[in-house]
Coordinates of all heavy atoms in Angstrom, one line a residue:
L1 N 49.6 -134.3 -162.8 CA 49.5 -133.6 -161.6 C 50.8 -133.6 -160.7 O 51.2 -132.6 -160.2 CB 48.3 -134.0 -160.7 CG 47.0 -133.6 -161.3 CD1 45.8 -134.4 -160.4 CD2 46.6 -132.2 -161.1
C2 N 51.3 -134.8 -160.6 CA 52.6 -134.8 -160.0 C 53.7 -134.1 -160.6 O 54.5 -133.3 -159.9 CB 53.1 -136.3 -159.9 SG 52.0 -137.4 -159.0
A3 N 53.9 -134.1 -161.8 CA 54.9 -133.3 -162.6 C 54.6 -131.8 -162.4 O 55.5 -131.1 -162.1 CB 55.0 -133.7 -164.0
S4 N 53.4 -131.5 -162.6 CA 53.2 -130.0 -162.5 C 53.2 -129.5 -161.0 O 53.7 -128.3 -160.9 CB 51.7 -129.7 -163.0 OG 50.7 -130.4 -162.3
Q5 N 53.0 -130.3 -160.1 CA 53.0 -129.8 -158.7 C 54.5 -129.8 -158.3 O 55.0 -128.8 -157.6 CB 52.3 -130.7 -157.7 CG 52.2 -130.2 -156.3 CD 51.4 -129.0 -156.0 OE1 51.0 -128.3 -157.0 NE2 51.2 -128.6 -154.9
S6 N 55.3 -130.6 -158.8 CA 56.8 -130.5 -158.6 C 57.4 -129.4 -159.2 O 58.3 -128.8 -158.8 CB 57.5 -131.8 -158.8 OG 57.6 -132.0 -160.2
T7 N 56.8 -128.9 -160.4 CA 57.3 -127.7 -161.2 C 56.9 -126.6 -160.4 O 57.7 -125.7 -160.2 CB 56.8 -127.8 -162.5 OG1 57.2 -129.1 -163.3 CG2 57.3 -126.6 -163.5
R8 N 55.7 -126.4 -160.1 CA 55.2 -125.2 -159.6 C 55.7 -124.8 -158.3 O 56.0 -123.8 -158.0 CB 53.6 -125.3 -159.6 CG 52.9 -124.0 -159.2 CD 51.4 -124.2 -159.1 NE 50.8 -124.7 -160.3 CZ 50.4 -123.9 -161.4 NH1 50.6 -122.7 -161.3 NH2 49.9 -124.6 -162.4
T9 N 55.9 -125.9 -157.4 CA 56.4 -125.7 -156.2 C 57.9 -125.9 -155.9 O 58.5 -125.7 -154.8 CB 55.8 -126.7 -155.1 OG1 56.1 -128.1 -155.5 CG2 54.2 -126.5 -155.1
L10 N 58.7 -126.2 -157.0 CA 60.1 -126.3 -157.0 C 60.4 -127.3 -156.0 O 60.9 -127.1 -154.9 CB 60.8 -125.0 -156.7 CG 60.6 -123.9 -157.9 CD1 61.4 -122.7 -157.4 CD2 60.9 -124.3 -159.2
S11 N 59.9 -128.5 -156.1 CA 60.1 -129.7 -155.2 C 60.1 -131.0 -155.8 O 60.2 -131.2 -157.0 CB 58.8 -129.6 -154.3 OG 57.7 -130.0 -155.1
A12 N 60.2 -132.0 -155.0 CA 60.2 -133.4 -155.4 C 58.8 -133.9 -155.0 O 58.3 -133.4 -154.0 CB 61.2 -134.3 -154.8
Y13 N 58.1 -134.7 -155.8 CA 56.8 -135.3 -155.5 C 56.9 -136.7 -155.5 O 57.1 -137.4 -156.6 CB 55.8 -134.6 -156.4 CG 54.4 -134.8 -155.9 CD1 53.9 -133.7 -155.1 CD2 53.6 -135.8 -156.0 CE1 52.6 -133.6 -154.6 CE2 52.3 -135.8 -155.4 CZ 51.9 -134.7 -154.8 OH 50.5 -134.7 -154.2
V14 N 56.6 -137.4 -154.4 CA 56.6 -138.7 -154.3 C 55.1 -139.3 -154.3 O 54.4 -138.9 -153.2 CB 57.3 -139.4 -153.2 CG1 57.4 -140.9 -153.1 CG2 58.8 -138.8 -153.1
F15 N 54.7 -140.1 -155.2 CA 53.2 -140.6 -155.3 C 53.2 -142.1 -155.1 O 53.8 -142.7 -155.9 CB 52.7 -140.0 -156.5 CG 51.1 -140.4 -156.7 CD1 50.3 -139.7 -156.2 CD2 50.8 -141.5 -157.4 CE1 48.8 -140.0 -156.5 CE2 49.6 -142.0 -157.7 CZ 48.5 -141.2 -157.2
A16 N 52.4 -142.6 -154.2 CA 52.2 -144.0 -154.0 C 50.8 -144.3 -154.0 O 50.0 -143.9 -152.9 CB 52.9 -144.4 -152.7
A17 N 50.2 -145.2 -154.8 CA 48.7 -145.5 -154.9 C 48.6 -146.9 -154.7 O 49.5 -147.8 -154.9 CB 48.3 -145.1 -156.3
S18 N 47.4 -147.3 -154.2 CA 46.9 -148.7 -153.9 C 47.1 -149.6 -155.2 O 46.7 -149.2 -156.2 CB 45.7 -148.9 -153.3 OG 45.6 -148.0 -152.1
G19 N 47.4 -150.8 -154.9 CA 47.5 -151.8 -156.0 C 46.8 -153.1 -155.6 O 45.5 -153.2 -155.2
W20 N 47.5 -154.2 -156.2 CA 46.9 -155.5 -156.2 C 46.5 -156.0 -154.8 O 47.3 -155.7 -153.7 CB 47.9 -156.5 -156.7 CG 47.4 -157.9 -156.5 CD1 47.8 -158.8 -155.6 CD2 46.4 -158.6 -157.2 NE1 47.3 -160.0 -155.8 CE2 46.3 -159.9 -156.7 CE3 45.7 -158.2 -158.4 CZ2 45.5 -160.9 -157.3 CZ3 44.7 -159.2 -158.8 CH2 44.6 -160.5 -158.3
G21 N 45.3 -156.4 -154.6 CA 44.7 -157.1 -153.4 C 43.7 -156.1 -152.8 O 42.8 -156.6 -152.1
E22 N 43.7 -154.9 -153.2 CA 42.6 -154.0 -152.8 C 41.3 -154.5 -153.3 O 41.1 -155.2 -154.5 CB 42.8 -152.6 -153.4 CG 41.9 -151.6 -152.8 CD 41.9 -151.3 -151.3 OE1 42.9 -150.6 -150.8 OE2 41.0 -151.9 -150.6
S23 N 40.2 -154.3 -152.5 CA 38.8 -154.8 -153.0 C 38.4 -154.3 -154.4 O 38.5 -153.0 -154.5 CB 37.8 -154.5 -151.9 OG 36.5 -154.8 -152.4
T24 N 37.9 -155.1 -155.2 CA 37.5 -154.7 -156.5 C 35.9 -154.8 -156.7 O 35.4 -155.2 -157.7 CB 38.1 -155.4 -157.7 OG1 37.8 -156.9 -157.4 CG2 39.6 -155.2 -157.7
T25 N 35.2 -154.6 -155.5 CA 33.7 -154.7 -155.5 C 33.1 -153.8 -156.7 O 32.4 -154.3 -157.5 CB 33.1 -154.3 -154.2 OG1 33.6 -155.1 -153.2 CG2 31.6 -154.4 -154.1
D26 N 33.6 -152.6 -156.7 CA 33.2 -151.8 -157.8 C 34.2 -151.0 -158.4 O 34.0 -150.2 -159.4 CB 32.1 -150.7 -157.1 CG 30.8 -151.3 -156.7 OD1 30.2 -151.9 -157.5 OD2 30.5 -151.1 -155.5
L27 N 35.4 -151.0 -158.1 CA 36.5 -150.3 -158.5 C 37.7 -151.2 -158.8 O 37.9 -152.4 -158.3 CB 37.0 -149.1 -157.5 CG 35.8 -148.2 -157.2 CD1 36.3 -147.2 -156.1 CD2 35.3 -147.4 -158.4
A28 N 38.8 -150.7 -159.4 CA 40.0 -151.4 -159.7 C 41.1 -150.6 -159.6 O 41.0 -149.3 -159.4 CB 40.1 -151.8 -161.3
W29 N 42.4 -151.0 -159.3 CA 43.6 -150.4 -158.7 C 44.8 -150.8 -159.5 O 44.9 -151.9 -159.8 CB 43.7 -150.7 -157.2 CG 42.4 -150.7 -156.5 CD1 41.6 -151.7 -156.4 CD2 41.7 -149.6 -155.9 NE1 40.5 -151.4 -155.8 CE2 40.4 -150.1 -155.4 CE3 42.0 -148.3 -155.8 CZ2 39.6 -149.3 -154.7 CZ3 41.2 -147.5 -155.0 CH2 39.9 -148.0 -154.6
D30 N 45.6 -149.7 -159.8 CA 46.8 -150.1 -160.6 C 48.1 -150.0 -160.0 O 49.2 -150.3 -160.4 CB 46.8 -149.2 -161.8 CG 47.0 -147.8 -161.5 OD1 46.6 -147.3 -160.4 OD2 47.5 -146.9 -162.5
G31 N 48.2 -149.4 -158.7 CA 49.4 -149.4 -157.9 C 50.4 -148.5 -158.5 O 51.6 -148.6 -158.6
Q32 N 49.8 -147.3 -159.1 CA 50.9 -146.4 -159.7 C 51.6 -145.7 -158.8 O 51.3 -145.4 -157.7 CB 50.0 -145.2 -160.4 CG 50.9 -144.3 -161.2 CD 50.0 -143.3 -162.2 OE1 48.8 -143.3 -161.8 NE2 50.7 -142.5 -163.0
A33 N 53.1 -145.7 -159.0 CA 54.1 -145.1 -158.2 C 55.1 -144.3 -158.9 O 55.6 -144.8 -160.0 CB 54.8 -146.3 -157.4
T34 N 55.2 -143.1 -158.6 CA 56.1 -142.1 -159.4 C 56.9 -141.2 -158.4 O 56.3 -141.0 -157.3 CB 55.3 -141.3 -160.5 OG1 54.3 -140.4 -159.7 CG2 54.6 -142.1 -161.4
I35 N 57.9 -141.0 -158.8 CA 58.8 -139.8 -158.2 C 59.2 -138.9 -159.2 O 59.9 -139.1 -160.2 CB 60.0 -140.4 -157.5 CG1 59.6 -141.6 -156.5 CG2 60.9 -139.5 -156.8 CD1 60.8 -142.4 -155.9
H36 N 58.8 -137.6 -158.9 CA 59.3 -136.4 -159.7 C 60.0 -135.5 -159.0 O 59.9 -135.3 -157.9 CB 58.0 -135.7 -160.2 CG 57.2 -136.4 -161.5 ND1 56.3 -137.5 -161.1 CD2 57.1 -136.3 -162.8 CE1 55.7 -138.0 -162.2 NE2 56.3 -137.3 -163.3
E37 N 61.0 -134.7 -159.8 CA 61.6 -133.7 -159.3 C 61.7 -132.4 -160.2 O 62.1 -132.6 -161.4 CB 63.0 -134.1 -159.0 CG 64.0 -133.1 -158.4 CD 65.5 -133.5 -158.4 OE1 65.7 -134.5 -157.5 OE2 66.3 -133.0 -158.9
L38 N 61.2 -131.3 -159.8 CA 61.3 -130.1 -160.7 C 60.7 -130.4 -162.1 O 61.2 -130.0 -163.1 CB 62.7 -129.5 -160.8 CG 63.4 -129.0 -159.6 CD1 64.8 -128.7 -159.7 CD2 62.5 -128.0 -158.8
G39 N 59.7 -131.1 -162.0 CA 58.9 -131.6 -163.2 C 59.5 -132.8 -164.1 O 58.7 -133.3 -165.0
Q40 N 60.6 -133.3 -163.6 CA 61.3 -134.4 -164.4 C 60.9 -135.6 -163.6 O 61.0 -135.7 -162.3 CB 62.7 -134.2 -164.3 CG 63.5 -135.4 -165.0 CD 65.0 -135.3 -164.8 OE1 65.4 -134.4 -164.0 NE2 65.7 -136.3 -165.3
K41 N 60.5 -136.7 -164.3 CA 60.1 -138.1 -163.7 C 61.4 -138.7 -163.5 O 62.2 -139.0 -164.4 CB 59.3 -138.9 -164.7 CG 58.8 -140.2 -164.1 CD 57.7 -140.8 -165.0 CE 58.2 -141.1 -166.2 NZ 57.1 -141.9 -167.1
L42 N 61.6 -139.1 -162.2 CA 62.9 -139.8 -161.9 C 62.7 -141.3 -161.9 O 63.7 -142.2 -162.1 CB 63.4 -139.3 -160.5 CG 63.7 -137.8 -160.2 CD1 64.3 -137.7 -158.8 CD2 64.8 -137.4 -161.3
A43 N 61.4 -141.7 -161.5 CA 61.4 -143.1 -161.5 C 59.8 -143.4 -161.5 O 59.0 -142.6 -161.1 CB 61.8 -143.8 -160.1
E44 N 59.5 -144.6 -162.0 CA 58.1 -144.9 -162.2 C 58.0 -146.5 -162.0 O 58.8 -147.3 -162.5 CB 57.6 -144.7 -163.7 CG 56.0 -145.0 -163.8 CD 55.6 -144.5 -165.2 OE1 56.5 -144.3 -166.1 OE2 54.4 -144.4 -165.3
G45 N 57.1 -146.9 -161.0 CA 56.9 -148.3 -160.8 C 56.1 -149.0 -161.9 O 55.4 -148.4 -162.8
E46 N 56.0 -150.4 -161.8 CA 55.2 -151.3 -162.6 C 53.8 -151.1 -162.3 O 53.5 -151.3 -161.1 CB 55.7 -152.6 -162.5 CG 54.9 -153.6 -163.5 CD 55.3 -155.1 -163.3 OE1 56.2 -155.3 -162.6 OE2 54.6 -155.9 -163.7
R47 N 52.9 -150.7 -163.1 CA 51.5 -150.7 -162.8 C 50.9 -152.1 -163.0 O 51.3 -153.0 -163.8 CB 50.9 -149.7 -163.7 CG 51.3 -148.3 -163.5 CD 50.7 -147.4 -164.5 NE 49.2 -147.4 -164.6 CZ 48.4 -147.3 -165.7 NH1 49.0 -147.1 -166.8 NH2 47.1 -147.4 -165.5

């Protein structure tokens, strides 16, 4: 979705998701972080 949105809108897309420490009562979290530009992935954090 990040890659396609940056491609379709001719933009950069910075995505930051919740990670370690978030409550895991019923769900889990991986802390995904990515930066895309015109569909190209520029950076990706450690999940």
Side-chain angles (χ1 to χ4, degrees):
L1 286 171
C2 293
S4 62
Q5 187 66 349
S6 71
T7 300
R8 188 182 302 277
T9 60
L10 300 182
S11 67
Y13 202 92
V14 183
F15 180 86
S18 299
W20 172 253
E22 187 62 82
S23 174
T24 57
T25 301
D26 290 303
L27 303 173
W29 321 86
D30 66 337
Q32 186 172 10
T34 59
I35 302 173
H36 287 78
E37 177 187 300
L38 300 176
Q40 176 190 6
K41 183 169 65 179
L42 301 183
E44 182 176 22
E46 178 188 355
R47 295 172 59 215

